[in-house]
Coordinates of all heavy atoms in Angstrom, one line a residue:
S1298 N 142.2 94.8 112.6 CA 142.7 93.7 113.4 C 143.4 92.7 112.6 O 144.4 92.1 113.0 CB 141.6 93.1 114.3 OG 140.7 92.3 113.5
N1299 N 142.9 92.4 111.4 CA 143.6 91.5 110.5 C 145.0 92.0 110.0 O 145.9 91.2 109.9 CB 142.7 91.2 109.3 CG 141.7 90.1 109.6 OD1 142.0 88.9 109.4 ND2 140.6 90.5 110.0
I1300 N 145.1 93.3 109.8 CA 146.4 93.8 109.5 C 147.3 93.8 110.8 O 148.5 93.5 110.7 CB 146.3 95.3 109.0 CG1 145.4 95.3 107.7 CG2 147.6 95.9 108.7 CD1 145.2 96.7 107.1
G1301 N 146.7 94.1 111.9 CA 147.5 94.2 113.2 C 148.0 92.8 113.5 O 149.1 92.7 114.1
T1302 N 147.3 91.7 113.2 CA 147.8 90.4 113.6 C 149.1 90.0 112.8 O 149.8 89.1 113.2 CB 146.7 89.4 113.4 OG1 147.0 88.2 114.2 CG2 146.5 89.0 112.0
T1303 N 149.4 90.7 111.7 CA 150.6 90.4 110.9 C 151.8 90.9 111.6 O 152.9 90.5 111.2 CB 150.5 91.1 109.5 OG1 150.5 92.5 109.7 CG2 149.2 90.7 108.8
V1304 N 151.7 91.7 112.7 CA 152.8 92.1 113.4 C 153.6 90.9 114.1 O 154.8 91.0 114.3 CB 152.4 93.1 114.5 CG1 153.6 93.5 115.4 CG2 151.8 94.4 113.9
T1305 N 152.8 89.9 114.4 CA 153.4 88.6 115.0 C 154.6 88.1 114.1 O 155.7 87.8 114.5 CB 152.4 87.5 115.1 OG1 151.4 88.0 116.0 CG2 153.0 86.3 115.7
G1306 N 154.3 88.1 112.8 CA 155.3 87.6 111.8 C 156.5 88.5 111.8 O 157.7 88.0 111.8
W1307 N 156.3 89.8 112.0 CA 157.5 90.7 112.0 C 158.3 90.6 113.3 O 159.5 90.7 113.3 CB 157.0 92.2 111.9 CG 156.5 92.5 110.5 CD1 155.2 92.6 110.1 CD2 157.3 92.6 109.3 NE1 155.1 92.9 108.7 CE2 156.4 92.8 108.2 CE3 158.7 92.5 109.0 CZ2 156.9 93.0 106.9 CZ3 159.1 92.6 107.7 CH2 158.2 92.9 106.7
I1308 N 157.6 90.3 114.4 CA 158.3 90.0 115.7 C 159.2 88.8 115.5 O 160.4 88.8 115.9 CB 157.3 89.8 116.8 CG1 156.6 91.1 117.1 CG2 158.0 89.4 118.1 CD1 155.5 91.0 118.2
V1309 N 158.6 87.7 115.0 CA 159.4 86.5 114.8 C 160.5 86.7 113.8 O 161.7 86.3 114.0 CB 158.5 85.4 114.3 CG1 159.3 84.1 114.0 CG2 157.4 85.1 115.3
A1310 N 160.3 87.4 112.7 CA 161.3 87.7 111.7 C 162.4 88.6 112.2 O 163.6 88.3 111.9 CB 160.7 88.2 110.4
A1311 N 162.0 89.6 112.9 CA 163.0 90.6 113.4 C 163.8 90.2 114.6 O 165.0 90.5 114.7 CB 162.3 91.9 113.6
V1312 N 163.1 89.5 115.5 CA 163.7 89.2 116.8 C 164.1 87.7 116.9 O 165.1 87.3 117.4 CB 162.8 89.6 118.0 CG1 163.4 89.2 119.3 CG2 162.5 91.0 117.9
G1313 N 163.2 86.9 116.4 CA 163.3 85.4 116.6 C 164.5 84.8 116.1 O 164.9 83.7 116.5
F1314 N 165.1 85.3 115.1 CA 166.2 84.7 114.4 C 167.5 85.5 114.5 O 168.5 85.2 113.7 CB 165.9 84.3 113.0 CG 164.6 83.5 112.8 CD1 163.4 84.1 112.5 CD2 164.6 82.2 113.2 CE1 162.3 83.4 112.4 CE2 163.5 81.4 113.1 CZ 162.3 82.0 112.7
S1315 N 167.5 86.5 115.3 CA 168.7 87.4 115.4 C 169.3 87.6 116.8 O 170.4 88.2 116.9 CB 168.4 88.8 114.8 OG 167.3 89.4 115.5
V1316 N 168.6 87.1 117.8 CA 169.1 87.2 119.2 C 168.9 85.9 119.9 O 168.2 85.0 119.4 CB 168.3 88.3 119.9 CG1 168.4 89.7 119.3 CG2 166.8 88.0 120.1
N1317 N 169.6 85.8 121.0 CA 169.5 84.6 121.9 C 168.2 84.8 122.7 O 168.2 85.5 123.6 CB 170.7 84.5 122.8 CG 170.7 83.3 123.7 OD1 169.6 82.6 123.8 ND2 171.8 82.9 124.2
L1318 N 167.2 84.1 122.2 CA 165.9 84.3 122.8 C 165.8 83.9 124.2 O 165.1 84.6 125.0 CB 164.8 83.6 122.0 CG 164.5 84.2 120.6 CD1 163.4 83.3 119.9 CD2 164.0 85.6 120.7
K1319 N 166.4 82.8 124.6 CA 166.3 82.4 126.0 C 167.0 83.4 126.9 O 166.5 83.7 128.0 CB 167.0 81.0 126.2 CG 166.0 79.9 125.9 CD 166.6 78.6 126.4 CE 165.6 77.4 126.2 NZ 166.0 76.1 126.7
A1320 N 168.1 84.0 126.5 CA 168.8 85.0 127.3 C 167.9 86.2 127.5 O 168.0 86.9 128.5 CB 170.1 85.4 126.7
F1321 N 167.0 86.5 126.5 CA 166.2 87.6 126.6 C 164.8 87.3 127.3 O 164.3 88.1 128.0 CB 165.9 88.2 125.2 CG 165.0 89.4 125.2 CD1 165.5 90.6 125.7 CD2 163.8 89.3 124.6 CE1 164.6 91.7 125.6 CE2 162.9 90.4 124.6 CZ 163.4 91.6 125.1
A1322 N 164.3 86.1 127.0 CA 163.0 85.7 127.5 C 162.9 85.5 129.0 O 162.0 85.9 129.6 CB 162.5 84.4 126.7
L1323 N 163.9 84.8 129.5 CA 163.8 84.5 130.9 C 163.8 85.7 131.8 O 163.0 85.7 132.8 CB 165.0 83.6 131.3 CG 165.0 82.2 130.7 CD1 166.2 81.4 131.1 CD2 163.7 81.4 131.3
P1324 N 164.6 86.8 131.6 CA 164.4 88.0 132.4 C 163.1 88.6 132.3 O 162.5 89.2 133.2 CB 165.5 88.9 131.9 CG 166.6 88.0 131.3 CD 165.8 86.9 130.7
V1325 N 162.5 88.5 131.1 CA 161.1 89.1 130.9 C 160.1 88.3 131.7 O 159.2 88.9 132.3 CB 160.7 89.1 129.4 CG1 159.3 89.5 129.2 CG2 161.7 90.0 128.6
V1326 N 160.2 87.0 131.7 CA 159.3 86.2 132.5 C 159.5 86.5 134.0 O 158.6 86.6 134.8 CB 159.6 84.7 132.3 CG1 158.8 83.8 133.3 CG2 159.2 84.3 130.9
A1327 N 160.8 86.7 134.4 CA 161.1 87.0 135.8 C 160.5 88.4 136.2 O 159.9 88.5 137.3 CB 162.6 87.0 136.0
L1328 N 160.6 89.3 135.3 CA 160.0 90.7 135.5 C 158.5 90.5 135.7 O 157.9 91.2 136.6 CB 160.3 91.6 134.4 CG 159.7 93.0 134.4 CD1 160.1 93.8 135.7 CD2 160.0 93.8 133.1
G1329 N 157.9 89.7 134.8 CA 156.4 89.5 134.9 C 156.0 88.9 136.3 O 155.1 89.3 136.9
A1330 N 156.8 87.9 136.7 CA 156.5 87.3 138.0 C 156.7 88.2 139.1 O 155.9 88.2 140.1 CB 157.4 86.1 138.2
L1331 N 157.7 89.1 139.1 CA 157.9 90.1 140.1 C 156.8 91.1 140.2 O 156.3 91.4 141.3 CB 159.2 90.8 139.8 CG 159.7 91.9 140.9 CD1 159.9 91.2 142.2 CD2 160.9 92.6 140.4
L1332 N 156.3 91.5 139.1 CA 155.2 92.4 139.0 C 153.9 91.8 139.6 O 153.1 92.4 140.4 CB 154.9 92.9 137.6 CG 155.9 93.9 137.0 CD1 155.6 94.1 135.6 CD2 156.0 95.2 137.8
R1333 N 153.7 90.5 139.2 CA 152.5 89.8 139.7 C 152.6 89.6 141.2 O 151.6 89.8 142.0 CB 152.4 88.4 139.0 CG 151.6 87.4 139.7 CD 150.1 87.8 139.9 NE 149.3 87.9 138.7 CZ 148.0 88.2 138.7 NH1 147.4 88.4 139.9 NH2 147.4 88.3 137.6

């Protein structure tokens, strides 16, 4: 689990600084709300 928690850093490094996060995040939140 301690090795697995390092994946967070890779998500931030790979996604967080190379794409428009708001443009990607809002549809994901909307999908979650629709499923709920």
Side-chain angles (χ1 to χ4, degrees):
S1298 70
N1299 274 273
I1300 299 175
T1302 198
T1303 66
V1304 173
T1305 301
W1307 290 108
I1308 293 175
V1309 176
V1312 178
F1314 304 103
S1315 58
V1316 299
N1317 184 343
L1318 288 180
K1319 275 195 173 180
F1321 180 70
L1323 290 176
V1325 174
V1326 174
L1328 174 62
L1331 182 62
L1332 290 173
R1333 161 57 71 176

